[in-house]
Amino acid sequence: MRLTDYFLPVLKETPAEATIASHQFMLRAGMIKQDSAGIYIWLPLGLKVLRKIENIVREEQNRAGAIEMLMPTIQSAGHWKETGRYDAYGPEMLRITDRGDRELLYGPTNEDMITDMFRSYVKSYKDLPKCLYHIQWKFRDERRPRFGVMRGREFLMKDAYTFDVDKEAAVKSYNRQFIAYLNTYERLGLKAVPMRADTGPIGGDLSHEFLILADTGESEVFCHKDLVDMAAPGDVSDGDMQAVVDSRTSLYAATDEMHDADEFAKVPADKQLSARGIEVGHIFYFGEKYSEPMKASVQTADGKSANIHMGSYGVGVSRLVGGIIEASHDENGIIWPKAVAPFDVGIINLKSGDAEADAACETLYSQLKAAGLDPLYDDRDDRGGQKFARMDLIGLPYQIVIGPRGLKEGKYEVKDRKTGEKQSLTPEETLTFITAQF
Ligand code: ATP
Ligand code: MG
C-alpha cells in the first residue's frame, strides 16, 4: 500500500479523553474513531489488526474441532424469557421493540439462542459431542465504557458453545477449549495466564479467565511465576488433555475476587507474583443451566432422556487489539507482534520526488510484494522526522529507510521496531533479510 493512496488519519496530539497507552495510540495511529460512548468506527489500519486477530482465533478454534457458524446480532426476547435471563440481565442489555411491538434485544451473548437452535435439531447422544462457535458483535450497555476498545459497549467476541451427553464428556470439551486458548494467545504474541474464576450463582468449579499481565489492567491478579513462562502446548491428544490442563491449574492463579491469601502464601516467596491483568477470555462449564429450563435433551445410549451438558467460551477479539498494545509499546508508539501487525514492513522514502530515491523505493516495494509480504510505502512529501515518528507510532515490525545519503553508498537502513537495532544493508541484503523474518 502506498501511503498517498491509503486512509491513515494520524493525529499529532494525544486526545484528552484517552488515559491509557493503547487508547491513546489507537486514536493517534488512526486505527479507531469514537462515534459515541463505547462505540467505535474501525478505520482501515485498525480493521486490519482486528481481522488478523480474528483469523488466528478462528484457525485455533477450527484446529480444536469447533465448527464456525453465524448467529444474528438482534435476538428475540423469547429465548431469554424461557431461561429467565430476560429479567435477570439488567440494564446492560439493550432492549428494542420493532414496529409490531415485538420485544427484541441486541445480543450481549448467545447461550439462550444457540440452545434453542440446537434442541430443535439434535435429539440423540449419537450427534454429540459438538462445539459450535461464531465471531460476532455484541452489545452491552456498560455503566462505564472506557479505555477505548478495552471496555466498549459494542465489541467483537468469539463465543463457542459445547454440547455433551454428560459431565465427563463436557469436561473433555472444556479442556479442549482451554488448550485452544493457550495456543491462541501464544500465536498472538501474548502471555495469557488461566485463572480460577467465579462461577456465580450456578456453582461448580469449572471456570477460568485468561488474563494478560499489564499495569493498566482492571483486575488485580495473583499467580505462580512459572505460569507466565510456560510455553503453549500445541496439539494435544485426547489422552493428554487433562494432564496439560492440570499442569496449569495446579499452580496458583486467581483474580482478586477468587484470591485466597492463605493458599497463595504456600507458593514459594520467590515465585509469588502479584500484578494487574486484562481479561481476554473466559471459559465456563455450566452443565444444565440452559438445557434444563429449555428442555434441551437427548436420548442416551440406554434409551433414557438426559439434559445436554453445555459450556461457553468467550474471547474478547476487539479487546485484544488494545490488550496487545498494552503489552507491547514504548513511548513512541505501538510495537506489533509480527502475527497481527497491520503491515509487515514500512518503507520510508526520505526524498520523495527525487528520481533515484523514488526508483529505489518503487523497486523494493514491488519486490517485497512479489515475495508475498504486505509493505506500507511512505511516499508522502513530508519531512523525515515526521515520517520516522509516524512509522514508530503505527508500530510495523520493520522499517526500511531510503535516502540520498545512503544511496550514494548503495545502502538502505533497516530498523527493527522492537529492539531499535539498525543495520546498513545493500538492496539485495535488505530483501533477503526482511523476507527471512516472515
Ligand atoms: P468483564 O469482567 O471485563 O466485564 P465479562 O466477564 O463480563 O467481562 P464475558 O461475558 O466473560 O465478559 O465475555 C467474554 C470476553 O469478552 C471477556 O473475557 C472479554 O475479553 C470480552 N469482553 C467482555 N466485555 C467486554 C467489553 N465491554 N468490551 C470489550 N470486550 C469485552
Ligand atoms: Mg468474564
Side-chain angles (χ1 to χ4, degrees):
M1 179 62 68
R2 285 184 176 78
L3 193 55
T4 50
D5 292 336
Y6 202 45
F7 187 75
L8 186 70
V10 166
L11 305 180
K12 281 204 191 70
E13 308 292 329
T14 299
E17 75 268 23
T19 54
I20 65 170
S22 60
H23 191 193
Q24 294 171 346
F25 288 141
M26 286 183 76
L27 292 170
R28 282 188 50 210
M31 294 179 67
I32 51 167
K33 182 180 192 305
Q34 181 174 307
D35 190 60
S36 61
I39 301 179
Y40 291 88
I41 297 170
W42 288 83
L43 297 169
L45 195 78
L47 183 64
K48 276 194 119 188
V49 177
L50 186 70
R51 290 285 185 246
K52 287 202 170 182
I53 295 172
E54 183 184 332
N55 277 331
I56 288 174
V57 171
R58 174 177 290 115
E59 283 170 20
E60 292 303 319
Q61 285 295 301
N62 293 346
R63 177 144 82 116
I67 309 161
E68 188 169 13
M69 62 181 298
L70 185 61
M71 288 176 270
T73 54
I74 305 290
Q75 304 187 22
S76 148
H79 310 313
W80 291 72
K81 288 186 174 165
E82 247 187 286
T83 60
R85 281 217 290 182
Y86 193 61
D87 295 326
Y89 212 90
E92 281 192 356
M93 183 188 278
L94 180 64
R95 296 151 207 265
I96 307 165
T97 37
D98 69 9
R99 64 206 294 166
D101 272 341
R102 280 172 291 260
E103 291 174 285
L104 302 171
L105 56 99
Y106 196 117
T109 180
N110 286 71
E111 284 85 1
D112 317 72
M113 176 181 273
I114 202 166
T115 307
D116 174 66
M117 183 285 288
F118 202 78
R119 71 175 167 187
S120 67
Y121 296 116
V122 177
K123 311 284 183 197
S124 164
Y125 73 96
K126 289 180 190 164
D127 294 320
L128 302 181
K130 281 285 175 290
C131 178
L132 295 163
Y133 76 98
H134 71 163
I135 300 174
Q136 178 62 294
W137 294 94
K138 306 286 185 285
F139 192 93
R140 294 182 186 174
D141 201 353
E142 299 273 357
R143 182 190 300 274
R144 281 186 71 197
R146 56 187 180 149
F147 304 148
V149 298
M150 302 267 263
R151 184 167 295 286
R153 292 198 294 165
E154 187 184 55
F155 60 97
L156 189 61
M157 195 203 286
K158 182 284 299 181
D159 38 325
Y161 302 87
T162 55
F163 304 87
D164 282 280
V165 69
D166 56 23
K167 179 166 183 183
E168 196 190 334
V171 170
K172 285 191 188 138
S173 298
Y174 182 92
N175 289 345
R176 196 170 288 111
Q177 281 287 321
F178 188 110
I179 289 164
Y181 276 46
L182 295 173
N183 291 332
T184 302
Y185 296 120
E186 180 165 277
R187 279 188 63 191
L188 293 171
L190 293 170
K191 294 194 177 300
V193 182
M195 309 218 177
R196 262 187 296 152
D198 197 356
T199 52
I202 305 141
D205 54 359
L206 258 191
S207 179
H208 289 90
E209 290 177 348
F210 289 75
L211 288 103
I212 54 175
L213 306 184
D215 294 340
T216 45
E218 288 187 288
S219 319
E220 198 180 355
V221 302
F222 303 85
C223 77
H224 193 296
K225 274 205 175 99
D226 289 358
L227 265 175
V228 183
D229 299 321
M230 285 171 104
D235 282 321
V236 177
S237 68
D238 283 10
D240 292 337
M241 283 194 313
Q242 191 63 56
V244 170
V245 171
D246 290 347
S247 69
R248 269 66 180 186
T249 55
S250 59
L251 295 174
Y252 190 94
T255 59
D256 50 358
E257 294 147 28
M258 295 293 285
H259 183 53
D260 177 336
D262 294 338
E263 278 298 310
F264 190 54
K266 294 180 192 160
V267 175
D270 62 328
K271 294 286 186 187
Q272 290 181 10
L273 181 67
S274 62
R276 300 203 66 86
I278 300 167
E279 183 194 323
V280 290
H282 194 169
I283 62 175
F284 201 18
Y285 163 70
F286 50 74
E288 302 168 53
K289 186 184 180 199
Y290 302 94
S291 59
E292 165 76 36
M294 295 188 94
K295 300 188 177 54
S297 57
V298 289
Q299 197 175 50
T300 58
D302 53 12
K304 294 190 182 125
S305 170
N307 288 330
I308 297 172
H309 284 248
M310 291 176 57
S312 68
Y313 311 83
V315 170
V317 176
S318 51
R319 177 178 288 183
L320 274 164
V321 182
I324 291 170
I325 298 173
E326 286 303 321
S328 184
H329 68 268
D330 63 14
E331 66 279 8
N332 298 323
I334 304 164
I335 303 173
W336 290 116
K338 281 180 208 160
V340 299
F343 293 94
D344 299 320
V345 51
I347 303 171
I348 294 178
N349 186 344
L350 279 184
K351 203 165 186 194
S352 294
D354 174 84
E356 206 188 339
D358 288 355
C361 289
E362 287 293 340
T363 303
L364 181 66
Y365 178 60
S366 322
Q367 286 171 330
L368 288 168
K369 285 208 295 186
L373 297 188
D374 190 10
L376 178 68
Y377 169 24
D378 185 347
D379 58 342
R380 279 173 58 106
D381 183 19
D382 294 328
R383 284 181 299 104
Q386 238 176 312
K387 295 193 175 205
F388 293 134
R390 180 164 54 218
M391 210 50 103
D392 276 353
L393 173 65
I394 67 173
L396 310 184
Y398 297 96
Q399 303 173 6
I400 303 167
V401 183
I402 301 182
R405 204 180 308 157
L407 281 172
K408 268 195 204 120
E409 296 159 28
K411 294 285 178 69
Y412 302 162
E413 188 180 83
V414 178
K415 179 172 137 181
D416 181 318
R417 174 69 181 87
K418 190 169 173 189
T419 62
E421 200 185 310
K422 291 177 184 168
Q423 316 177 59
S424 183
L425 301 178
T426 66
E428 295 73 31
E429 288 166 345
T430 302
L431 193 62
T432 310
F433 174 79
I434 295 290
T435 48
Q437 310 307 314
F438 293 91

